[in-house]
Amino acid sequence: MRGRASSLFLTGTALFTMASAAAAQEATPPADAQSGQASAQDIVVTGTRIVRDGYTAPTPVTVASTEELVKATPSNIPDALNKLPQFQNSSSPSRSSMNFANTAAHGNVLNLRGVGPLRTLILFDGQRVAPTTYLGTVDVNVIPNLLIQRVDVVTGGASAAYGSDAVSGVVNFVLDKKFTGLTGVAQGSTSQRGDNQGYRFGIAGGFDFGGDRGHLLLSAETFKNNGMLRSDRKLGRGAYSYVGSTVGCTNPNAAADPTACSPGGSLNPYMIASGVTLSAASEYGKITSGPFTNYRFDANGALVPFSNGTATGSPGYFVGGDGYAISPDTQAVAPLHTYQAFGRASWDFTPDVTGYVQGSFSRSDLSYTSLANSLVPPTAATLYSGNPYLPAELQAAFTPTSQSITLARYGANSPRPHTTERTDYWMVNAGFEGTLADKWKWNVAFNHGDSNFSVAQEGVWDWQHFYAATDAVRNGSGQIVCRASLSADPTIAARYANCQPFNLLATGDAYASQPGYDYVVGTSRYRARIWQNAMSASIQGALFDLPAGPVDVALGAEYRRQSLRLTSNANPADLDTTAERSAYFAGLRGVPSSVYHYWLTNVGEASGDLSVKEVFGELAVPLLKDQPFAQELSLNAAGRYTDYSTSGSVETWKLGATWKPIRDLLLRGSVSRDIRAPNLFELFAGDQSAISLLVDPVSGITANVPQVTGGNPDLKPEKADTLTFGAVITPSFLPGLSLSVDYYRIKIKDAIGTLSLTQIVNNCSQSGGTAPECALVTRDTPTSFPSQIRVAPANIAFLETSGIDFDASYRTELAGGNLGLRLYASYLDTYQTQQSSTAPVLEYAGISTISSTPEGRPRWRGTLSVNYEVGRVGVFLNQQLIGKVKLGIPGGLENGLGQTIGAVGYTDMTLSYRLPVANGHVEFFGTVNNLSDKDPPLIPGTIPGVNIATNFALYDTVGRAFTGGIRFKF
């Protein structure tokens, strides 16, 4: 099938590119009389503030019609956009890791060019969409789908036109403001394996009122998908991992090559293993210190020797044995339920003045099962002599100098924490627009966005309760109670009066059914409110006429204010001093220094505001028209001055030109300075806690390490220099054919970045303890495993990426029907990053990165669609190609990697039948995604069982899936 997919793609490419090799096009959306779409003379092209008849912007714009997007992917518009090659490593419910609940990155977050979602500006009908998450990103599930006419993707810098964040470009969801009639959809879906079941229902209408002076738009829709577990697919059940292949590796030249024996080092190349377990803990508890060290408890509660299994070249990683494996019964695709409502009313007060008000509400609910509660060092539990749950043989083994044991237990078969995320989002726009003297267009607008994002993770260890309940003793009456409840301090005794003792050694159903279990688990909650108020005013029109046409200008001013309030019941800052920890855990013993309120999910609070004042201008100058070798020659310039209350002032600009030497060829180019200002969370975030698995080169230990991140109020805006140039070909000898090709290059300096936990530790180790990163690593002794690592954002990074975009379309009549072909393709020439001035420059182009959050950047990506309609029948085929990638860990140890994963193709097919009804139609349709049921390639990470063993950022993990339903329009 791979050969057929590639052949189909190459055939389409050859058809479109002919002698030029292919293209990327600023297309004009097809007219649709029934939808009330504006004529070509009224089209506002995203990427410029100036609109005039026939104007073609120098910055490339890809226009994707909603009709074609939903045919390829009927679930929703964001899912369809992520199949376009311009988007890379976007996150969505099927493209994210659901292991943790301490980050707001699980919605549909678009990532243009793969340079990060914070560098992609999202617009709704030309208005900036306020952030929906406290991270500053926009979950585009909040955009109402049914009344979206098209999506414009500006694939070049546009900060001069739209302000901050438009570094990689702009995604503008364009509203069909003139729609009149009634439209709707009802559909159901499922995968071939019976999971990922879902539905979508929606209805929208457009109505004139007030003698055609007013127009009203209304829509309501809902979408649901039940998701799937990792265990529902073979690649999620095998506990695959890359491990070192040299068992007992010895390094004869450690001074010259200290990492030679590390996994992936020169003497210990990586290999793939299945059934990998981690020896740090076991299912029912491994004793790691005290009597019976390296014994474990079995399913019957008996003490038996712990067997590591078959050793690998990765410390702590074994095949088989009694170690623990991360449970596969966690989410590979998170269940998602969205609700959307939208309304818009406009009124023509005079022939020259129109007012409007519009508002939308959306609710997005995500729910998922995440990693099981664990007691893995350094957060193992200490059980003391006298604990009535200890077996007699263990109690008898205590000595005057050994009065406790440390127990490491990973409860893969115990109840797992369940997380619910909800985003409630309001967006209100109001304004006036009109014309002056039939030459000038003006508008004033107010925009308000308000997001309430809440997370609740239930069933997670409450450490204060946990360490109180596991320290059980008998009282004077022989009853088993919590030791802290017997404290001589009345305050402590009262605090734990309701404590229920917890038998950590229980097995089977008895483990979770004991009263103590309900006492030791709780709910970690956090809530963020992000709101934005924005006001803008602009005017554009012709200053004067030149022989080649009018000189157009656009001028405007904007004011924007944002606010973030993040609250949490598990703020790490509440326990960041010795005094605070002593008060919180008073009366308890055996509490590790690394724990906070809850296991894993401890989100710090944040509070901050910023305001932005901006003025901008844009000028379009036609130099030549209808001259030999100059059918058109024009220049475009834009500038913006921005003043941030947090980081000062900054200027952005753009220069562009278009030249049409002959009627069939247009050449275009632009250079620009673009910015991304630090957002509120980057500036004002409180400490956030998490854990990550670390292979420590100092102690030689592989274990989870506590990680703390926070904000940096001294951050400055990132600066990007963007270059684009290309050509658009519309051959007159073949009407209906459009070809284009555009080169782009983006260089970002002073980029906001954070060194990874591994980079921090390795940089410190390789410097011999002298690097600045060493201040971020806390060790109890110089050679012990870290007890904490701190990371924070800074303006330290550099990023450069370049490539070529291709776009081609062709429409014609064929055998009594209408044939439409569309090709999107992209070639990635380079993607280089440098995390700091002392770090190496890393190349990611053509690489599938091996990590717990995999990313992939194939050099070639493309989508070819074929749409044929004859009579009432329609056939739509969509062929997606993901080019070959090489497996690697840029900047890390990667000996044994370097394998090439060949190109992968996915075919989607839609069959439809359109039945005329009254003044409209009803369309019955059926879609099959991943028609050939292609399995994703096996690409494990370096931690077994954390994710389904493939690069979910690149490849489909669901398999063949079906959607059927009806659409109507009257």
Side-chain angles (χ1 to χ4, degrees):
M1 179 59 198
R2 178 181 298 167
R4 291 198 299 272
S6 300
S7 177
L8 174 59
F9 185 86
L10 292 173
T11 300
T13 304
L15 171 65
F16 285 118
T17 59
M18 297 179 180
S20 66
Q25 145 87 337
E26 177 180 5
T28 300
D32 186 344
Q34 293 189 29
S35 71
Q37 180 169 315
S39 65
Q41 288 78 13
D42 297 324
I43 290 174
V44 178
V45 179
T46 306
T48 177
R49 296 281 183 168
I50 294 176
V51 182
R52 64 181 186 183
D53 296 353
Y55 179 77
T56 301
T59 303
V61 181
T62 294
V63 178
S65 71
T66 302
E67 181 180 2
E68 290 188 355
L69 289 172
V70 299
K71 283 182 178 179
T73 309
S75 56
N76 55 43
I77 293 175
D79 285 345
L81 288 173
N82 274 320
K83 292 183 178 180
L84 300 182
Q86 294 93 336
F87 295 94
Q88 302 175 35
N89 301 303
S90 301
S91 66
S92 71
S94 62
R95 296 173 181 261
S96 299
S97 175
M98 302 296 164
N99 294 319
F100 307 112
N102 50 13
T103 181
H106 295 146
N108 248 314
V109 182
L110 298 175
N111 189 350
L112 189 58
R113 302 285 187 215
V115 300
L118 290 172
R119 300 181 180 114
T120 302
L121 179 62
I122 305 298
L123 303 179
F124 176 53
D125 206 43
Q127 297 290 321
R128 177 186 291 263
V129 178
T132 64
T133 75
Y134 65 84
L135 298 178
T137 56
V138 175
D139 178 0
V140 291
N141 284 327
V142 303
I143 303 293
N145 279 211
L146 275 179
L147 290 171
I148 297 300
Q149 181 185 87
R150 68 182 198 271
V151 181
D152 293 351
V153 182
V154 182
T155 53
S159 292
Y162 293 107
S164 176
D165 305 338
V167 173
S168 59
V170 174
V171 182
N172 186 17
F173 294 82
V174 180
L175 183 68
D176 190 353
K177 295 191 289 285
K178 299 298 183 180
F179 174 76
T180 301
L182 193 67
T183 186
V185 62
Q187 66 187 48
S189 60
T190 184
S191 78
Q192 179 171 291
R193 292 158 182 83
D195 45 39
N196 275 279
Q197 295 177 341
Y199 60 77
R200 181 186 176 201
F201 298 103
I203 189 168
F207 315 95
D208 291 327
F209 65 93
D212 293 339
R213 294 178 65 185
H215 193 71
L216 180 66
L217 293 174
L218 297 170
S219 75
E221 51 193 303
T222 183
F223 167 81
K224 185 177 183 180
N225 181 275
N226 293 330
M228 75 178 192
L229 300 174
R230 291 207 307 264
S231 56
D232 292 333
R233 297 296 181 270
K234 180 181 178 181
L235 288 183
R237 299 190 296 266
Y240 296 97
S241 180
Y242 271 108
V243 297
S245 58
T246 307
V247 179
C249 180
T250 58
N251 188 354
N253 194 10
D257 187 2
T259 62
C261 278
S262 299
S266 59
L267 299 178
N268 190 14
Y270 277 120
M271 69 175 188
I272 295 177
S274 61
V276 177
T277 60
L278 303 174
S279 63
S282 69
E283 171 66 27
Y284 301 105
K286 174 188 178 181
I287 299 175
T288 58
S289 70
F292 288 94
T293 296
N294 286 327
Y295 273 65
R296 68 177 177 91
F297 292 93
D298 66 12
N300 298 315
L303 273 170
V304 296
F306 181 88
S307 172
N308 284 328
T310 302
T312 72
S314 294
Y317 286 46
F318 295 83
V319 175
D322 298 327
Y324 74 94
I326 295 174
S327 172
D329 293 332
T330 53
Q331 235 72 48
V333 179
L336 171 68
H337 197 177
T338 64
Y339 313 82
Q340 298 167 340
F342 173 80
R344 185 181 196 275
S346 61
W347 182 262
D348 296 333
F349 290 95
T350 73
D352 297 326
V353 178
T354 299
Y356 68 91
V357 61
Q358 67 185 38
S360 66
F361 171 76
S362 67
R363 169 169 288 177
S364 179
D365 286 333
L366 273 169
S367 63
Y368 50 93
T369 301
S370 51
L371 294 182
N373 287 314
S374 70
L375 295 166
V376 178
T379 54
T382 302
L383 301 181
Y384 294 89
S385 175
N387 189 312
Y389 297 123
L390 291 173
E393 60 181 321
L394 182 54
Q395 178 64 50
F398 286 121
T399 68
T401 59
S402 180
Q403 289 287 302
S404 66
I405 64 167
T406 303
L407 191 76
R409 176 170 182 166
Y410 187 88
N413 293 318
S414 63
R416 279 172 292 286
H418 187 78
T419 304
T420 55
E421 297 184 11
R422 169 168 288 182
T423 302
D424 283 342
Y425 186 77
W426 291 90
M427 184 163 52
V428 178
N429 306 83
F432 293 91
E433 56 191 15
T435 60
L436 293 172
D438 294 327
K439 291 185 177 181
W440 293 85
K441 296 182 179 180
W442 60 269
N443 72 78
V444 293
F446 170 79
N447 173 280
H448 174 75
D450 197 321
S451 173
N452 282 280
F453 175 80
S454 60
V455 176
Q457 186 178 47
E458 301 174 337
V460 65
W461 292 138
D462 178 330
W463 286 128
Q464 187 187 61
H465 284 193
F466 177 88
Y467 285 107
T470 53
D471 193 3
V473 297
R474 292 189 185 274
N475 64 12
S477 303
Q479 298 172 314
I480 301 176
V481 296
C482 302
R483 175 179 172 274
S485 68
L486 303 178
S487 174
D489 185 331
T491 302
I492 294 175
R495 179 185 295 176
Y496 297 107
N498 296 321
C499 178
Q500 297 292 320
F502 178 52
N503 180 8
L504 189 58
L505 305 180
T507 60
D509 294 338
Y511 181 71
S513 62
Q514 57 181 311
Y517 186 85
D518 291 334
Y519 181 79
V520 300
V521 297
T523 301
S524 179
R525 301 178 185 274
Y526 60 95
R527 180 186 296 272
R529 184 190 175 203
I530 313 99
W531 61 261
Q532 172 182 289
N533 287 330
M535 293 175 285
S536 64
S538 67
I539 186 170
Q540 74 95 10
L543 287 174
F544 52 84
D545 289 339
L546 293 175
V551 175
D552 286 346
V553 65
L555 300 171
E558 298 179 1
Y559 175 80
R560 186 168 71 252
R561 183 171 180 83
Q562 288 185 346
S563 177
L564 168 66
R565 299 292 183 269
L566 171 61
T567 59
S568 168
N569 71 346
N571 184 5
D574 294 339
L575 300 176
D576 62 358
T577 68
T578 301
E580 289 169 340
R581 294 183 63 83
S582 297
Y584 187 75
F585 293 112
L588 307 182
R589 55 181 178 173
V591 181
S593 60
S594 59
V595 302
Y596 290 92
H597 300 273
Y598 293 96
W599 182 75
L600 289 187
T601 305
N602 297 278
V603 173
E605 298 188 342
S607 179
D609 303 271
L610 66 81
S611 59
V612 187
K613 303 172 185 176
E614 300 179 282
V615 292
F616 63 87
E618 186 171 356
L619 185 69
V621 181
L623 300 179
L624 295 173
K625 186 176 182 180
D626 298 329
Q627 300 296 317
F629 300 105
Q631 292 290 310
E632 175 192 334
L633 177 62
S634 61
L635 298 179
N636 176 272
R640 177 179 291 253
Y641 174 83
T642 305
D643 183 30
Y644 288 91
S645 61
T646 52
S647 54
S649 61
V650 65
E651 297 84 27
T652 55
W653 51 266
K654 183 185 74 171
L655 295 173
T658 59
W659 175 35
K660 207 169 187 179
I662 58 175
R663 185 178 61 177
D664 297 353
L665 174 65
L666 181 142
L667 304 176
R668 61 187 176 190
S670 67
V671 292
S672 64
R673 164 61 60 88
D674 304 289
I675 64 162
R676 181 182 82 82
N679 62 52
L680 288 168
F681 188 72
E682 291 170 320
L683 293 165
F684 303 118
D687 284 350
Q688 319 290 312
S689 71
I691 63 169
S692 296
L693 195 67
L694 173 69
V695 180
D696 181 26
V698 175
S699 65
I701 296 173
T702 299
N704 287 321
V705 62
Q707 174 181 319
V708 176
T709 62
N712 180 357
D714 296 325
L715 291 173
K716 301 298 181 183
E718 301 176 340
K719 296 181 175 65
D721 293 322
T722 305
L723 167 69
T724 68
F725 61 84
V728 180
I729 305 170
T730 53
S732 55
F733 62 84
L734 190 57
L737 177 64
S738 297
L739 308 170
S740 71
V741 56
D742 286 281
Y743 170 85
Y744 68 89
R745 187 192 67 201
I746 304 171
K747 289 184 176 181
I748 305 173
K749 58 184 179 181
D750 296 328
I752 299 170
T754 56
L755 295 177
S756 72
L757 178 143
T758 300
Q759 288 171 324
I760 290 172
V761 172
N762 287 344
N763 288 355
C764 176
S765 173
Q766 293 169 7
S767 72
T770 61
E773 290 86 346
C774 296
L776 305 174
V777 182
T778 302
R779 300 180 188 268
D780 294 335
T781 68
T783 58
S784 64
F785 188 80
S787 58
Q788 179 178 283
I789 297 175
R790 173 173 286 275
V791 299
N795 292 100
I796 59 174
F798 169 82
L799 187 153
E800 179 178 354
T801 183
S802 63
I804 304 173
D805 286 336
F806 308 99
D807 190 331
S809 64
Y810 180 61
R811 296 179 182 275
T812 188
E813 294 183 359
L814 179 67
N818 295 316
L819 174 67
L821 305 176
R822 186 69 183 267
L823 172 71
Y824 304 99
S826 180
Y827 173 74
L828 179 64
D829 179 57
T830 186
Y831 189 102
Q832 295 183 340
T833 66
Q834 186 181 28
Q835 285 296 94
S836 70
S837 59
T838 59
V841 176
L842 306 177
E843 178 62 74
Y844 287 86
I847 302 295
S848 174
T849 306
I850 305 297
S851 73
S852 57
T853 53
E855 293 184 340
R857 293 181 172 85
R859 291 192 180 273
W860 282 101
R861 292 192 65 180
T863 301
L864 171 66
S865 64
V866 180
N867 187 34
Y868 183 66
E869 297 178 350
V870 55
R872 299 178 180 179
V873 177
V875 180
F876 181 87
L877 289 173
N878 189 76
Q879 180 66 43
Q880 183 184 8
L881 178 74
I882 300 169
K884 66 181 182 180
V885 290
K886 185 173 72 171
L887 304 183
I889 309 175
L893 301 177
E894 51 184 8
N895 187 26
L897 300 178
Q899 302 92 327
T900 297
I901 304 297
V904 174
Y906 296 108
T907 304
D908 304 324
M909 181 178 70
T910 294
L911 300 178
S912 61
Y913 181 81
R914 181 172 293 190
L915 183 66
V917 176
N919 294 323
H921 65 264
V922 174
E923 182 181 62
F924 301 89
F925 70 93
T927 299
V928 184
N929 293 114
N930 194 349
L931 184 65
S932 63
D933 197 27
K934 182 178 291 296
D935 291 327
L938 172 63
I939 307 176
T942 55
I943 304 175
V946 168
N947 295 309
I948 196 166
T950 193
N951 188 331
F952 56 74
L954 280 180
Y955 305 111
D956 174 54
T957 60
V958 174
R960 186 182 291 123
F962 306 92
T963 303
I966 61 171
R967 302 185 185 101
F968 61 86
K969 182 179 290 187
F970 303 109

